[in-house]
Amino acid sequence: MKGISSAVAITAAGLLAVTGNAEPLPRSTKCKQPLVQDKPLVNSIHLKDLMKCAQDLEDIAYATTARNRVHGSEGHKNTVKYFKETLEALGDYYKVELQEFTTEVTLASSTAFSADGVELVTDAFEFGNNGTWTDVPMVNVANLGCDPEDVPDAVAGNVALIARGTCTFVQKLENAGAKGAVAAMIYNNGEVGPAAGTLAAVNDLIPVGGLTRADGLALAARIDAGETVTSSGTYWAYVTEATSHNVIATSKHGDPNNVLFLGAHSDSVDKGPGINDNGSGSCGILTVAKALSKWRTNNQVKFAWWTAEEEGLLGAEHFVNTSSAADLAKIRLYLNFDMIASPNYYLGIYDGDGSRYNVTGPPGSDVAEKLFEDWFAARGLTTFGSEFNGRSDYGPFLDAGVPCSGLDTGADGVKTEAEVGIYGGIAGEQYDQNYHSAADNVTNLAEFPFEVNAKAMAHVVATYGKSWEGFPARLPSNSTALARRHVHARSSSAPKKHVCGVNEVLEY
């Protein structure tokens, strides 16, 4: 994603035991296939298939020197090949296309930082410029460094120390650089590891690194007390232009004017294989696509594995920008799945109705959210509204006025005590403690949310693959481009909570 221990009473094995005995009918030819049915499709989604796919993606990454699946890399090219060949092996059910896309990409990076000779945990920013300095004093920047007057003249020739928050990283760096800082260190605003993020594109900003909140506050206090704190840093990244592909699979039957579209990004960051982020979402929609190939649908179903999400949602943005308004208007609903097996998970549904974050999506986003909510509720599972901020590949679709929904289990946000009471896990730690790191591998996937979220996907596919009854008609494309920023009175910020919690077996 572009930024729990599974010790719960429901086990993946228990889930399989009660749902694994109802398989779809075998298919013969498309015209003789049975119309998709909800329960059999949902029950055909199995953890073993999801984990097999995840292991395949890890193996693809680890077979390369870089051990990742970054857009344009050998690992990602082999990922694209894997999805394409898997889909083509299903016969003639889908039209499988590769959409080429070229952009800048960070293929490798290295970071190091010390203060007065003491090594501190640090991280880099995507599209951060290379820089090395030795024994250069640090100077505090007031407030959050969002206004030019926050930056003292004393930063000239020195390293600016800035707190994360409120404005963009780019704005902070522009302000510090304008006063002559040679580099900047940004410390986090939560106890979730060192600050990190993206600067969105190649730029001419000063070099930057990230620090933890604790280390940043400690350094700031020393500087405020009059101490001279000298720093040394090395931030290096290899950024080049790379070409890769979106993989798009479209069912050859079903109404092409009323399309259900599911997507997940297929690339990783350079630091690891990216198995939760986003092998989990990629494998979720692949498993559903395979299961659906045994059924006929009344409405066309489309799947996409987007490239270059980690570079700024670029693959999905390219698809939207190169699609006609008429074709975008045929998409009744876009569903996004990014990080659905976080180890310190919660169960999140994009907040399309604005009940938690006070921002709604285009009409229909709320209806899709409710469909997901009801499915989880029927299984006694608590869900929370996830921030509907366009942070993943649904963002370009929202901007084009396409109704959107989706599921996630958390990235770099911090788990609360209340969530621990519902799902287990560790309060005060990130939902994915391995986010954007080498440890984002198969070993650290949470199996329960992986399977239950994939089954929820299948439920929505069966529902809207059969009928759009009760779903609002599409408005013309781009007519609601600002819909995701529409603010209305907030009714409640409470989770969609059901009394059974997660202490009962999932029975269809």
Side-chain angles (χ1 to χ4, degrees):
M1 175 180 246
K2 187 84 177 151
I4 298 173
S5 168
S6 27
V8 293
I10 304 179
T11 65
L15 177 61
L16 290 172
V18 295
T19 63
N21 56 1
E23 295 292 344
L25 300 172
R27 77 180 179 106
S28 49
T29 64
K30 285 191 297 181
C31 60
K32 294 181 180 179
Q33 287 175 313
L35 182 62
V36 65
Q37 297 178 46
D38 186 20
K39 184 175 180 179
L41 185 66
V42 170
N43 288 348
S44 68
I45 306 302
H46 301 300
L47 179 64
K48 62 181 177 61
D49 298 321
L50 296 163
M51 294 300 291
K52 171 63 166 56
C53 173
Q55 187 62 61
D56 288 344
L57 295 183
E58 182 178 283
D59 291 345
I60 287 170
Y62 287 170
T64 69
T65 302
R67 294 171 66 83
N68 62 36
R69 299 182 301 107
V70 171
H71 154 75
S73 68
E74 181 185 358
H76 190 257
K77 289 176 181 177
N78 289 334
T79 297
V80 168
K81 180 181 178 183
Y82 172 81
F83 289 131
K84 179 176 181 290
E85 291 181 350
T86 301
L87 292 161
E88 289 174 340
L90 299 173
D92 65 347
Y93 190 88
Y94 295 107
K95 178 182 178 182
V96 182
E97 302 171 276
L98 298 183
Q99 184 183 37
E100 186 173 288
F101 181 70
T102 301
T103 188
E104 295 87 4
V105 61
T106 301
L107 291 180
S109 62
S110 178
T111 60
F113 179 80
S114 64
D116 291 335
V118 178
E119 294 284 339
L120 299 179
V121 176
T122 188
D123 204 347
F125 288 75
E126 290 177 289
F127 295 108
N129 285 314
N130 295 345
T132 299
W133 66 93
T134 303
D135 295 334
V136 178
M138 303 188 76
V139 174
N140 280 339
V141 170
N143 302 317
L144 297 171
C146 296
D147 298 316
E149 54 267 30
D150 292 338
V151 184
D153 293 337
V155 300
N158 295 314
V159 175
L161 180 62
I162 312 172
R164 181 177 188 171
T166 302
C167 61
T168 65
F169 300 127
V170 170
Q171 190 171 342
K172 296 173 190 288
L173 297 179
E174 286 176 340
N175 290 338
K179 290 291 185 74
V182 298
M185 297 301 296
I186 297 175
Y187 59 91
N188 225 334
N189 53 0
E191 301 295 342
V192 291
T198 182
L199 305 183
V202 174
N203 56 76
D204 58 1
L205 298 167
I206 58 176
V208 59
L211 294 171
T212 66
R213 176 173 173 78
D215 286 340
L217 289 174
L219 292 174
R222 290 175 57 194
I223 296 167
D224 280 342
E227 291 187 45
T228 298
V229 177
T230 59
S231 66
S232 299
T234 298
Y235 293 88
W236 172 88
Y238 175 52
V239 179
T240 188
E241 192 172 78
T243 297
S244 188
H245 299 84
N246 294 323
V247 181
I248 302 169
T250 306
S251 65
K252 293 183 178 180
H253 53 86
D255 183 357
N257 295 312
N258 287 280
V259 179
L260 174 63
F261 200 157
L262 291 80
H265 75 86
S266 60
D267 61 317
S268 74
V269 296
D270 67 290
K271 294 181 176 65
I275 302 305
N276 185 40
D277 184 15
N278 183 38
S280 62
S282 290
C283 289
I285 67 170
L286 181 66
T287 301
V288 172
K290 290 166 67 177
L292 183 64
S293 69
K294 298 179 175 67
W295 299 92
R296 173 173 53 88
T297 59
N298 290 329
N299 298 306
Q300 190 172 80
V301 182
K302 188 185 291 283
F303 297 86
W305 291 262
W306 306 116
T307 189
E309 189 270 356
E310 298 292 0
E311 309 305 321
L313 321 182
L314 300 182
E317 184 177 73
H318 179 65
F319 174 86
V320 171
N321 289 345
T322 56
S323 296
S324 68
D327 284 341
L328 290 173
K330 296 174 183 177
I331 304 171
R332 296 292 298 274
L333 175 66
Y334 174 77
L335 299 173
N336 196 70
F337 304 96
D338 193 351
M339 302 180 66
I340 61 169
S342 300
N344 202 29
Y345 73 92
Y346 79 117
L347 297 176
I349 305 171
Y350 294 172
D351 186 30
D353 65 1
S355 60
R356 189 177 191 201
Y357 290 100
N358 209 28
V359 179
T360 60
S365 303
D366 54 341
V367 178
E369 180 188 8
K370 182 67 162 54
L371 182 62
F372 276 123
E373 287 174 355
D374 289 348
W375 189 86
F376 283 100
R379 283 142 193 84
L381 295 172
T382 299
T383 58
F384 285 81
S386 297
E387 191 170 3
F388 205 37
N389 57 9
R391 184 179 174 182
S392 189
D393 290 301
Y394 64 96
F397 289 89
L398 281 182
D399 287 338
V402 178
C404 293
S405 189
L407 306 174
D408 78 287
T409 53
D412 53 352
V414 180
K415 192 162 193 177
T416 66
E417 291 283 0
E419 290 166 344
V420 170
I422 298 166
Y423 306 107
I426 305 171
E429 292 193 6
Q430 292 185 171
Y431 296 114
D432 187 349
Q433 302 97 325
N434 312 298
Y435 179 62
H436 283 188
S437 78
D440 183 7
N441 55 33
V442 170
T443 303
N444 289 317
L445 293 176
E447 294 181 350
F448 173 72
F450 198 4
E451 186 175 29
V452 74
N453 280 324
K455 286 179 177 288
M457 291 181 206
H459 169 63
V460 175
V461 168
T463 300
Y464 292 137
K466 184 181 293 185
S467 172
W468 289 106
E469 183 180 355
F471 198 88
R474 268 298 309 275
L475 298 175
S477 184
N478 289 314
S479 64
T480 58
L482 296 180
R484 68 186 171 108
R485 299 179 181 87
H486 176 65
V487 178
H488 57 82
R490 179 179 297 173
S491 58
S492 172
S493 62
K496 313 296 183 179
K497 190 171 183 178
H498 310 287
V499 294
C500 296
V502 291
N503 294 315
E504 297 199 1
V505 173
L506 283 187
E507 219 168 330
Y508 192 88

